[in-house]
Amino acid sequence: MARFRHQKPSSSNSSPCRCRYDVFLSFRGKDTRKTFTDHLYAAFVEKGFPTFRDKEEVERGEGIKPELQKAIQQSRSSVIVFSKDYASSGWCLDELVFILEHKRISSDHVVLPVFYDVDPSHLRNQTGRVGEAFSRHEENQQSPNKIKQWRVALREVADLSGMVLKNQANGYESKFVNQIIKVIDDKLSRMRTPFTIAPYPTGMDSRVEFINSWLQDGSTDVGILLINGVGGIGKTTIAKFAYNSNYRGFERSCFLEDVRETSKQPNGLVLLQRQFLHHIMSGREVKIHSVGEGNKKIRDAIISKTVLLVLDDVDHMKQIGAIFSMQDWFCPGSKIMITTRCAGLLRDHELSNCTVYNVETLNANESLQLFSWHAFRQAHPREDWMKLSEMIADRCGGLPLALQILGSSLSGRPIDVWKSALEKLKAIPNNEILQRLRISYDALQDNPDDQNLFLHIACFFVGKRKDYIVRILDGCDFFTVVGIENLMDRCLVTVDQDEKVSMHQMICDMGREIVRLESKEPANRSRLWNDKDSFNVLREKSGTETIEGLALDMHMHSLNTPWGNSDEENFRKD
């Protein structure tokens, strides 16, 4: 039990503070530290609640411990264990006053009084052992003002909805502990979610419906779900939305963000294992130095618990191989979700319970609505801006990332800026969107042939039949069939039921921008898809050996050239 003279929270102390603990345990150490409170603390930790319990008795005469003030302010709740001699401790009463003042400052702070072996009426009326304790405080010449504060605090806490051992568990402490855990769980669950979701989750309910159903299917298998889609389509947001709604249904839960980036760091897989253990072991720091050591500790931590695990932004099997090697260790009913841009991630692994969820782009109405929320802070564009809004939203192709970035960037800007931005967008993609989308292209850096194939398709072959593309590019020494499969795995291209190769407009723009940035002079770029650039290079005979292919619509130009007008003749590879 912390013992300190009461100090009113200062403005700095009372400023919003990031919560570190779910529970702050307040108690009189001499009464219950090694008995009831110890069992209660162990139960909170076992159930996954980060809990603060002062480990040391504070010597008489010491002032308030700053770390205790901070711990109270960084806790979502305070559980106060009232034992028979609680009121005998001025330091306990000071802590009670501080907790109640913090509750008044932070209205969402939960206070749960636990009447272990004292009746609430004794606190309210200050009779029995409580009255005797106050008589001693007065005899010891405590400040009348301080005694008044203590009396007011005891009456206030006695009127709160609390837990009484003799009434609610008939004296059975283990049953009483479980009831306290459930009450705190219910109270905190109503007021918090692990993640703050995007402020305008347009289209989210319909997209997360399937995942919620999968998470709640009651299966006793260890389920694995691959959430797959192009960059910027909202995979992580969807996963967080589903996680917020379902994590309470599991004994342990963990959301590992940015797996791709973390795995690139020195000893990256060990870092991921540490993060996983930190989450499922109630915030405790776990020291591991190798993947093998991590595997053993993870096995011990999860073998008897249902776990919800999310691995966000995975692009290589080695990043999650250790998890799947331990699949048999997960308790029946556990669920694993993986977000990825790589559809073929699990192709070579025999995972009988693997389900794939392909995230689709927003439809036209949803796109316009999401764009409007970010541009106008309302569900529909202003009337004078409707046409421009529709054109920009259409250009985004239902990609939430692009709609959010462009909507926010144009918010509050005059209409001539909107018109200019639309024209620029047709020629040069927004750089922030480009950098986010380029991640999938850069992931192919170990296979430059696939990168080149992607750029060729982006510049010349979007909407063409697959067999047509194969015929041309196989003649240019590409292994086109397997290359297209690799690009499909990375969500860079799709092949529809008519065997036409398609690409999201923003992905296509990204590919063409990569080529455009090769040189300011079109004649020094590897590919010329723009009709005007191709025409000028041919007319001026300025082409260089850098050019691998060009496209030109012969119907638009009256040229005395030796070239025909077929696409095959307009594409060459040097």
Side-chain angles (χ1 to χ4, degrees), residues 461 467-476 480 567-568 571:
F461 297 110
D467 57 357
Y468 170 77
I469 300 172
V470 170
R471 185 169 69 249
I472 294 177
L473 295 184
D474 274 2
C476 298
T480 314
D567 286 326
E568 293 190 40
F571 184 90

Side-chain angles (χ1 to χ4, degrees), residues 20-48:
R20 182 178 177 186
Y21 307 102
D22 281 337
V23 179
F24 178 90
L25 266 181
S26 176
F27 58 98
R28 187 170 191 266
K30 288 184 179 180
D31 289 352
T32 65
R33 175 179 295 280
K34 296 180 180 180
T35 53
F36 176 76
T37 297
D38 186 57
H39 297 316
L40 182 59
Y41 173 79
F44 274 126
V45 172
E46 172 66 18
K47 292 294 183 181

Side-chain angles (χ1 to χ4, degrees), residues 151-166:
R151 288 185 182 278
V152 170
L154 284 174
R155 282 193 288 268
E156 180 180 346
V157 78
D159 287 335
L160 295 177
S161 176
M163 308 285 289
V164 184
L165 174 62
K166 66 178 182 180

Side-chain angles (χ1 to χ4, degrees), residues 52 66 68 73 89 101 132 180 213 215-216 321 345 357 390 393-394 405 409 476-477 516 548 568 574:
F52 181 91
L68 290 176
Q73 293 165 336
S89 169
E101 289 209 3
E132 295 171 6
I180 294 169
S213 176
L215 286 168
Q216 300 165 17
L345 186 68
Y357 177 68
E390 289 174 343
D394 181 67
I405 290 174
S409 68
C476 298
D477 299 328
R516 191 188 70 83
E548 298 179 16
E568 293 190 40
D574 295 325

Side-chain angles (χ1 to χ4, degrees), residues 487-505:
L487 297 182
M488 291 172 64
D489 283 348
R490 292 286 173 181
C491 300
L492 290 170
V493 302
T494 58
V495 179
D496 65 19
Q497 59 184 8
D498 296 323
E499 288 293 293
K500 287 185 177 180
V501 176
S502 302
M503 186 179 291
H504 190 281
Q505 180 63 57

Side-chain angles (χ1 to χ4, degrees), residues 201-213 238 241 357-363 366:
T202 303
M204 189 59 62
D205 288 339
S206 60
R207 282 162 177 77
V208 83
E209 182 178 359
F210 171 83
I211 300 175
N212 283 340
S213 176
I238 289 171
F241 202 95
Y357 177 68
N358 294 308
V359 182
E360 297 181 353
T361 54
L362 301 177
N363 62 37
E366 291 170 334

